[in-house]
């Protein structure tokens, strides 16, 4: 029972989106240049956040920005031009004034291509760090059953 | 005599800068992806403009921006990873409230790789089009002997 | 009658695709950096070409590549982060061994944002220029009623 | 005595290069988009590797590639358009068939902007993983006094 709840809670915190590899994202090795996965993570994260009304644009309406302070990206398999990949974005809850996301990218054979994590903080639009979680994020977390 | 003057006037309006092709600028054909030449043009243009104190940052200090309204790029030869290329940027004088630049990119054998042109207008930082040439540009044109 | 035929012929040569502006495509002016429209053109062109089985991957299966030899891009209005834009890609028939495409990008109010054109040639995968239209393209043109 | 040796050994494994922030590397927050630091790391790494004759092109001459399997990037301060930054790249020796580099990016006030790490493996040009350190790298390590 509890396990089921945990499972559904986790799914609640996940979003699957899709990207099609652009030719201009490949490099002379014939595969997606490694730095472009940071774009795919942003695609996945913003897809999750649009769904949850906490996207960059929503954050901005609240007078804030959420700059990235850390990115990690681990590559398992290459992607090539024309591949259609799935990005699974998972929100990792944290008590700190941070947004943590984990990513898993799968190719069209459902093989794991890449995993990653990003950490964001909250700042004013002038760049001043916010030490407390903003109210609109607290509201969202409450709605999601996170506390 | 006049020819010599014309020649020196032209050189006066030219700047040569250098770029080294980044691996992440190549594509799966093993050559620089065509859209990246627009970056090289911007590199060349800003090198000219820094030299002439009319760079994006100088323009911004005057409360203005100079968005591109047209770019043309013609490719003659490919560039590859590791190539060091020369960008020759030439300011083309115009009576209109526009900035026109022409570009020629050469590889390290001095072969012509690419030619191009960009046209910029003047806007406020809020994006309002300026119909007259701004004073600081008029001053610069005067200094350069353009009228 | 003939007009209607001309109209349907034109539609036959057109494809509409959609892009969502990525945050990483914006610049410090808060708008899409002008060079990124070349990516949108490639998105539109490849969407057309996938639909018509003449995409980069199809061309490659025929032992060929279709490098861009000219791009033109004219900007009418800016796009911003989060905008969803429509790209209308039109194939312009030519008797030469070239692929010519025109592009019109519209914002979500259906305002014209940008127009453009690209010209491609056919080369072997080693980069040797092909002076004749390849057979698989001739076949495709025949099927489309272009001659 | 030993400390001095250790210090000089470390410097021996370091290279400082410089980048100038391109306008097209900024985003709508007016700062360098976080994913572009992966390009700066590649700039720094390749500057180190050119100096040491183990660049992508040297590796390729040996029939190999060195794809990235992990990148980490931590942001301390933003960079803005026009900033000239220093990239300090340090080779971290490893007994495994891997290339590990650490990066520190400094702004022109010498403040730490960003730190990072990348890990590369050796593969054939067809992508087959090499479990042993290639001979040309062993030779280079010997020359550098690494074993």
């Amino acid at each position: 029972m509890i396990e089921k709840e945990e499972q559904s809670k986790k799914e609640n915190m996940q979003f699957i989106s899709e990207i099609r590899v652009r030719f201009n994202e490949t490099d002379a090795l014939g595969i997606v240049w490694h730095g472009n996965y940071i774009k795919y993570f942003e695609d996945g994260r913003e897809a999750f956040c649009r769904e949850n009304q906490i996207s960059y644009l929503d954050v901005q309406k609240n007078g804030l920005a959420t700059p990235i302070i850390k990115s990690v990206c681990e590559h398992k398999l290459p992607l090539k031009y024309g591949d259609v990949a799935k990005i699974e974005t998972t929100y990792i809850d944290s008590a700190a004034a941070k947004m943590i996301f984990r990513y898993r990218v799968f190719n069209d054979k459902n093989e794991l291509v890449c995993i990653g994590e990003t950490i964001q903080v909250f700042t004013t639009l002038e760049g001043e760090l916010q030490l407390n979680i903003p109210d609109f994020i607290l509201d969202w977390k409450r709605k999601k059953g996170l506390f």
Side-chain angles (χ1 to χ4, degrees), chain A:
Chain A
M1 188 72 170
I2 287 166
E3 258 175 49
K4 220 172 176 179
E5 255 177 43
E6 283 307 304
Q7 182 56 22
S8 98
K9 209 171 176 179
K10 203 186 152 189
E11 273 162 21
N12 194 25
M13 290 295 114
Q14 239 174 38
F15 194 80
I16 310 256
S17 54
E18 212 181 77
I19 56 106
R20 180 186 289 276
V21 171
R22 285 173 162 177
F23 186 69
N24 51 69
E25 291 167 347
T26 61
D27 64 27
L29 288 176
I31 57 176
V32 169
W33 180 68
H34 66 280
N36 284 325
Y37 289 86
I38 306 293
K39 295 185 184 174
Y40 300 162
F41 293 170
E42 189 163 68
D43 286 349
R45 184 172 64 248
E46 278 293 275
F48 176 98
C49 289
R50 270 194 309 274
E51 187 74 10
N52 283 276
Q53 273 111 50
I54 55 166
S55 75
Y56 287 173
L57 292 175
D58 296 302
V59 169
Q60 196 185 318
K61 272 179 220 150
N62 286 277
L64 297 173
T66 45
I68 299 275
I69 58 159
K70 185 170 181 182
S71 312
V72 182
C73 185
E74 279 184 69
H75 306 272
K76 310 296 186 190
L77 284 174
L79 284 175
K80 297 202 169 167
Y81 175 58
D83 283 355
V84 174
K86 254 189 338 212
I87 310 165
E88 177 202 277
T89 303
T90 307
Y91 176 84
I92 306 298
D93 196 33
S94 157
K98 287 181 178 170
M99 304 266 275
I100 304 173
F101 288 96
R102 296 223 177 102
Y103 311 91
R104 295 200 300 164
V105 179
F106 297 92
N107 64 19
D108 50 15
K109 292 174 199 152
N110 226 29
E111 295 166 320
L112 186 60
V113 162
C114 172
I115 59 173
E117 185 177 295
T118 56
I119 305 177
Q120 291 162 279
V121 290
F122 297 97
T123 68
T124 62
L125 292 172
E126 291 73 38
E128 203 189 330
L129 186 67
Q130 301 299 289
L131 299 176
N132 297 311
I133 302 179
D135 285 346
F136 78 100
I137 294 291
L138 284 177
D139 287 348
W140 171 75
K141 287 173 82 159
R142 213 168 279 127
K143 249 190 299 179
K144 294 294 264 191
L146 290 174
F147 73 120

